[in-house]
């Protein structure tokens, strides 16, 4: 079976970054960094409040992109094994259904109340992966055309659907995405996130699927890398150009077309580098620490999102906090050590599953 070590590494790297964020490491370092030279660095581990792009804004695009790449590898294997399109479609529907279920469950409990919310990345993926699946057998030109059409559709909806109170396309709490959330969930996200992001970010998953098909092809590695690099640079220049020209601002929270293009460009460049460094040059021996997590990405994501945030993190924090209190450790040091303890235990779970050859997939 064809396998991309760079894909396993990229997926694992994203999950490790999310694990550290969930464990509270960035928050602890962020508090400590106020007024220091470290502050601008730690700001990169927070989402931009609105118009702009930070490192942390690339995590979800990367996650959705590599989901598309993994889809391409999976469908390639199914075709080789003689699985019919109908059976593959049933699997795709089942996977999307489970992603939607877990995404809704992640946000289902708010305090002592049940809640129905569609802002989780898994609910977004349930839509974007299905779109990518339906496009898989089409020519690359058609796939690209659909992805750009989705970006154009998003532009048109935000700019030209005039709903009183929600007719300001790029203003928080007053845009078309907020209006759709009101219809779907009878609520608006106070942080500015919108469920209709799945329309424009479907482009990330489609591009990831296209990149997977490219890397599966018979072209020389140098051609594959050049294609990823050139495409990534075009996306970057277009996305940042749209923002600089005042045409469409880069806003992650409503996934504007300029944001999708700019973030997609960065992800393409990263994949090109990792493919060259890991798969072409063969640097595969020192990445197992990361790939172990990537092989159970769904499991660990659901663990730290549901179990970690609601019980596990607090439990470990009490133990670590009291033990470190005996030696009167500074507050910031206590928080950092606690976060690293939580991360280590979660990584250990992934290692245990890896050793037992247990892999959770949807």
């Amino acid at each position: 079976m064809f396998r991309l070590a760079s894909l396993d590494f990229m997926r694992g790297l994203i999950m490790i970054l999310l694990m550290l964020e969930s464990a509270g490491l960035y928050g602890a370092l962020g508090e400590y960094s106020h007024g220091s030279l470290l502050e601008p660095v730690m700001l990169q581990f927070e989402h931009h409040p609105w118009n702009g792009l930070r490192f942390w804004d690339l995590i979800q695009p990367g996650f959705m992109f590599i989901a598309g790449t993994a889809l391409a590898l999976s469908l390639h294997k199914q075709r080789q094994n003689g699985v019919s399109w109908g059976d593959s479609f049933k699997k795709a529907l089942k996977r999307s259904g489970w992603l939607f279920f877990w995404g809704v469950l992640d946000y289902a409990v708010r305090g002592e109340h049940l809640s129905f919310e569609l802002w989780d990345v898994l609910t977004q993926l349930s839509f974007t992966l299905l779109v990518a699946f339906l496009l898989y057998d089409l020519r690359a030109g058609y796939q690209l055309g659909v992805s750009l059409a989705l970006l154009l559709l998003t532009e048109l909806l935000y700019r030209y659907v005039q709903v009183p109170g929600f007719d300001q396309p790029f203003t928080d709490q007053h845009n078309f995405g907020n209006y759709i959330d009101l219809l779907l969930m009878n609520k608006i996200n106070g942080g500015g996130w919108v469920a209709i992001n799945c329309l424009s970010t479907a482009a990330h998953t489609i591009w990831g699927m296209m990149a997977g098909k490219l890397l599966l092809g018979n072209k020389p590695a140098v051609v594959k890398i050049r294609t990823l690099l050139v495409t990534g640079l075009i996306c970057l220049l277009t996305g940042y150009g749209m923002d600089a020209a005042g045409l469409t601002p880069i806003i992650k929270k409503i996934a504007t077309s300029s944001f999708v293009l700019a973030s997609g460009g960065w992800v393409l460049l990263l994949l090109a580098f990792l493919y060259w460094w890991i798969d072409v040059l063969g640097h595969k021996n020192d990445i197992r620490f990361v790939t172990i997590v990537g092989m159970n990405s769904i499991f660990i994501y659901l663990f730290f999102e549901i179990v970690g945030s609601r019980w596990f993190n607090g439990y470990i924090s009490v133990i670590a906090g009291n033990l470190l209190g005996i030696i009167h450790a500074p507050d910031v040091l206590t928080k950092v050590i606690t976060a690293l303890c939580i991360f280590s235990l979660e990584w250990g779970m992934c290692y245990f599953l890896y050793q037992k050859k247990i892999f959770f997939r949807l």
Side-chain angles (χ1 to χ4, degrees):
M1 175 188 172
F2 181 85
R3 191 169 189 90
L4 284 173
S6 53
L7 174 63
D8 292 331
F9 178 86
M10 189 170 171
R11 180 165 46 207
L13 177 62
I14 289 173
M15 297 316 301
I16 284 176
L17 289 168
L18 287 170
M19 289 162 66
L20 290 170
E21 188 269 343
S22 173
L25 180 63
Y26 309 144
L29 292 175
E31 290 179 22
Y32 174 75
S33 71
H34 286 316
S36 71
L37 294 176
L38 188 61
E39 185 173 12
V41 176
M42 296 314 303
L43 275 177
Q44 292 301 314
F45 290 87
E46 298 177 11
H47 287 300
H48 198 287
W50 196 245
N51 179 198
L53 185 63
R54 293 175 178 169
F55 169 75
W56 200 244
D57 296 320
L58 302 177
I59 298 298
Q60 181 174 346
F63 191 80
M64 301 185 81
F65 183 96
I66 60 174
T69 309
L71 173 69
L73 271 62
S74 174
L75 291 177
H76 178 75
K77 179 184 176 183
Q78 290 179 41
R79 296 292 190 273
Q80 287 183 326
N81 293 337
V83 179
S84 68
W85 187 91
D87 287 340
S88 293
F89 182 55
K90 290 176 184 177
K91 290 182 180 180
L93 282 176
K94 181 179 178 181
R95 179 180 58 243
S96 289
W98 276 114
L99 286 170
F100 185 84
F101 169 79
W102 288 113
V104 171
L105 184 66
D106 186 15
Y107 281 75
V109 178
R110 286 288 178 264
E112 298 180 355
H113 304 283
L114 291 177
S115 178
F116 176 70
E117 299 178 6
L118 300 173
W119 297 304
D120 191 86
V121 64
L122 298 184
T123 58
Q124 305 275 313
L125 267 179
S126 69
F127 173 79
T128 67
L129 275 173
L130 195 56
V131 172
F133 170 84
L134 294 173
L135 296 173
Y136 178 79
D137 291 314
L138 299 181
R139 296 173 60 180
Y142 291 115
Q143 295 168 348
L144 178 61
V146 171
S147 69
L148 296 179
L150 287 170
L151 297 184
L152 177 60
L153 174 62
T154 304
E155 287 277 348
L156 296 175
L157 289 173
Y158 273 84
R159 291 177 183 274
Y160 297 112
V161 176
Q162 300 294 308
V163 178
F166 301 97
D167 52 0
Q168 302 176 50
F170 308 122
T171 301
D172 188 18
Q173 308 297 307
H174 297 284
N175 56 68
F176 178 74
N178 299 139
Y179 171 68
I180 294 299
D181 284 351
L182 205 57
L183 294 179
L184 293 174
M185 296 171 278
N186 197 33
K187 65 178 75 173
I188 295 174
N189 188 293
W193 307 99
V194 298
I196 203 176
N197 280 354
C198 63
L199 275 181
S200 54
T201 57
H204 286 140
T205 308
I206 295 169
W207 297 341
M209 179 264 293
M210 294 176 68
K213 293 188 73 172
L214 170 70
L215 297 178
L216 283 166
N218 297 320
K219 294 180 179 179
V222 65
V223 175
K224 297 175 182 179
I225 293 170
R226 184 170 62 239
T227 302
L228 292 173
L229 288 175
V230 171
T231 307
L233 288 173
I234 291 172
C235 287
L236 276 178
L237 290 172
T238 305
Y240 280 108
M242 292 171 68
D243 182 76
L247 180 61
T248 302
I250 291 176
I251 305 173
K252 190 259 190 288
K253 292 185 176 182
I254 59 173
T256 57
S257 57
S258 54
F259 164 76
V260 173
L261 286 163
S263 58
W266 283 118
V267 174
L268 282 162
L269 294 182
L270 176 61
L271 178 61
F273 171 76
L274 293 177
Y275 174 69
W276 167 73
W277 181 252
I278 297 173
D279 292 299
V280 177
L281 297 186
H283 294 277
K284 301 179 182 180
N285 296 328
D286 302 320
I287 63 173
R288 195 173 68 149
F289 179 85
V290 175
T291 57
I292 282 172
V293 177
M295 290 179 180
N296 261 308
S297 57
I298 291 296
F299 162 77
I300 198 61
Y301 177 81
L302 291 173
F303 181 87
F304 67 66
E305 278 287 303
I306 298 176
V307 181
S309 63
R310 291 167 174 81
W311 169 72
F312 185 76
N313 291 10
Y315 187 83
I316 301 302
S317 296
V318 170
I319 296 174
N322 279 272
L323 290 176
L324 291 167
I326 296 174
I327 61 171
H328 304 290
D331 182 60
V332 65
L333 180 62
T334 298
K335 289 181 179 178
V336 168
I337 292 176
T338 299
L340 293 176
C341 286
I342 293 170
F343 169 78
S344 299
L345 290 168
E346 290 177 345
W347 185 90
M349 294 178 197
C350 292
Y351 181 71
F352 173 81
L353 294 173
Y354 171 79
Q355 288 288 84
K356 298 294 182 181
K357 293 181 168 49
I358 300 172
F359 304 105
F360 291 86
R361 293 185 175 88
L362 297 179

